[in-house]
Amino acid sequence: MNITEQHVSEIFDLLGPTPRLCVNSSSYELEEYKSAVNEDIADMTASEIQKLMRKTSGLSMSAISHKICLLSRGRRDDVHSRAVVAPITHAIQSKLSAQFRNLHRDEQIRLYKYFERVPESRKVAGIFYEAIVQLYLQEGRLLELVPMVTLEGTKRKRSGQEHQWYSSHIIIHNPALEALRQTVSNRPTVDIRPNRTLEYTDNGMQSIEPNVFYVPANTNQKAFDSFILLNGLLYIFQITVGLKHDINHGLIDIANNHSFPPRDQWCFMFIIPPNMTLTVPQLWKLAL
């Protein structure tokens, strides 16, 4: 009787679509489960995640894979479609990425290529893609930014959304969007040269220092992002290999409780592999 819609949504976003967790667990049981997830991820090696994902895609689920993997059909309406395996939530993916952030770069790239070449496990490649990009940004990079494009006044038939944003370094097949992409001439650059890197948790960040690269610790309970404050602007990195990506909720949810710059000084930067077009749905929080 005490379960609220907010409670269900929080558990769903954090731990995944497991009914007993969302609607039938006490606070004590949830904390025990969260601790078990953190311990399983902390003990996981690169070779173990290879074996785990390979077995899961073959429908051989273990106690650990139930906690960190989500199985779905490649084609939703085709019951014979092959299984696609992915991290069960973005929060779990963030924890896995933090766990493998300290692997040697060659090993990160090897694992990214291993998972990226198989469509059924391509989303798992995002774990290692994120770890690779985080490392590059920590070392320092000059980034050329390509503004995203959108068609105003159009609605999607199914969702009724006003518009979506698109980012691409290749031709967009929609002629109207491609015409807009070709006209984008303003490509600002930002020089990321952090003084240091700092891991932060969801309740351990009281202030933000300029020119410090913040990365989420693997103990974070929410799906936070890496970010850096430069010249008064907050650059928030959204790293993805997926064709569709929403703006993550975690960092936004705590911004009002800390010394963040005003939201008109936030810059969301999507970092994607080459040869793909990214779609970002209409923002779930209209204030952004």
Side-chain angles (χ1 to χ4, degrees):
M1 295 298 292
N2 296 323
I3 293 175
T4 64
E5 183 176 346
Q6 181 180 356
H7 166 86
V8 173
S9 296
E10 287 177 353
I11 299 303
F12 185 96
D13 290 339
L14 177 64
L15 300 175
T18 307
R20 66 180 178 84
L21 298 176
C22 291
V23 298
N24 197 35
S25 291
S26 66
S27 298
Y28 174 78
E29 290 170 326
L30 281 174
E31 291 306 314
E32 287 285 298
Y33 187 89
K34 291 175 186 177
S35 296
V37 170
N38 288 335
E39 289 175 8
D40 288 338
I41 291 176
D43 293 337
M44 188 169 290
T45 65
S47 59
E48 285 173 345
I49 198 169
Q50 271 189 262
K51 294 176 184 177
L52 180 68
M53 296 301 176
R54 186 168 60 246
K55 289 182 178 180
T56 302
S57 62
L59 305 183
S60 179
M61 300 284 282
S62 66
I64 295 178
S65 57
H66 274 293
K67 297 173 185 173
I68 68 172
C69 298
L70 178 67
L71 275 175
S72 59
R73 297 174 186 156
R75 295 183 298 277
R76 184 178 300 237
D77 298 327
D78 182 2
V79 296
H80 302 292
S81 178
R82 293 192 66 176
V84 174
V85 61
I88 195 167
T89 66
H90 182 78
I92 295 298
Q93 176 168 326
S94 182
K95 290 175 182 290
L96 288 167
S97 178
Q99 172 67 10
F100 297 115
R101 193 183 295 146
N102 295 321
L103 287 177
H104 192 277
R105 184 175 301 169
D106 289 345
E107 181 71 352
Q108 292 173 338
I109 293 173
R110 183 189 72 80
L111 288 164
Y112 168 69
K113 290 182 175 180
Y114 173 84
F115 288 110
E116 192 271 340
R117 68 173 180 260
V118 181
E120 289 77 20
S121 62
R122 191 172 187 277
K123 291 184 178 180
V124 181
I127 297 169
F128 300 100
Y129 183 70
E130 183 176 341
I132 294 167
V133 171
Q134 300 277 30
L135 183 58
Y136 274 122
L137 292 174
Q138 290 175 47
E139 293 174 346
R141 284 295 185 277
L142 179 67
L143 303 180
E144 182 185 65
L145 311 184
V146 181
M148 303 184 82
V149 296
T150 186
L151 296 179
E152 300 289 348
T154 58
K155 287 190 176 182
R156 297 178 66 207
K157 292 181 180 179
R158 291 186 179 180
S159 67
Q161 289 180 330
E162 290 293 331
H163 59 260
Q164 296 184 100
W165 293 91
Y166 296 85
S167 180
S168 180
H169 298 281
I170 58 174
I171 293 174
I172 301 178
H173 294 298
N174 182 312
L177 285 169
E178 176 59 17
L180 280 174
R181 190 182 74 89
Q182 293 289 351
T183 61
V184 173
S185 58
N186 177 30
R187 296 196 173 192
T189 58
V190 56
D191 198 6
I192 308 294
R193 305 287 172 185
N195 294 329
R196 62 191 178 103
T197 297
L198 181 65
E199 289 190 349
Y200 70 94
T201 62
D202 49 358
N203 57 4
M205 183 175 55
Q206 300 302 320
S207 62
I208 302 175
E209 298 179 38
N211 207 29
V212 172
F213 190 74
Y214 289 88
V215 295
N218 62 3
T219 54
N220 266 341
Q221 293 299 311
K222 295 185 178 180
F224 285 178
D225 304 296
S226 57
F227 61 90
I228 190 170
L229 180 63
L230 292 176
N231 301 319
L233 293 178
L234 185 67
Y235 294 96
I236 303 170
F237 300 99
Q238 310 274 284
I239 304 166
T240 180
V241 300
L243 298 177
K244 184 176 180 180
H245 194 290
D246 199 353
I247 286 179
N248 298 335
H249 299 211
L251 194 62
I252 297 169
D253 291 342
I254 66 163
N256 292 331
N257 300 324
H258 301 282
S259 55
F260 277 58
R263 289 188 179 172
D264 61 354
Q265 296 175 15
W266 292 16
C267 299
F268 290 95
M269 300 171 62
F270 290 88
I271 300 182
I272 61 176
N275 303 319
M276 66 171 277
T277 298
L278 174 70
T279 303
V280 178
Q282 181 180 5
L283 300 182
W284 52 271
K285 189 181 284 286
L286 295 181
L288 294 173

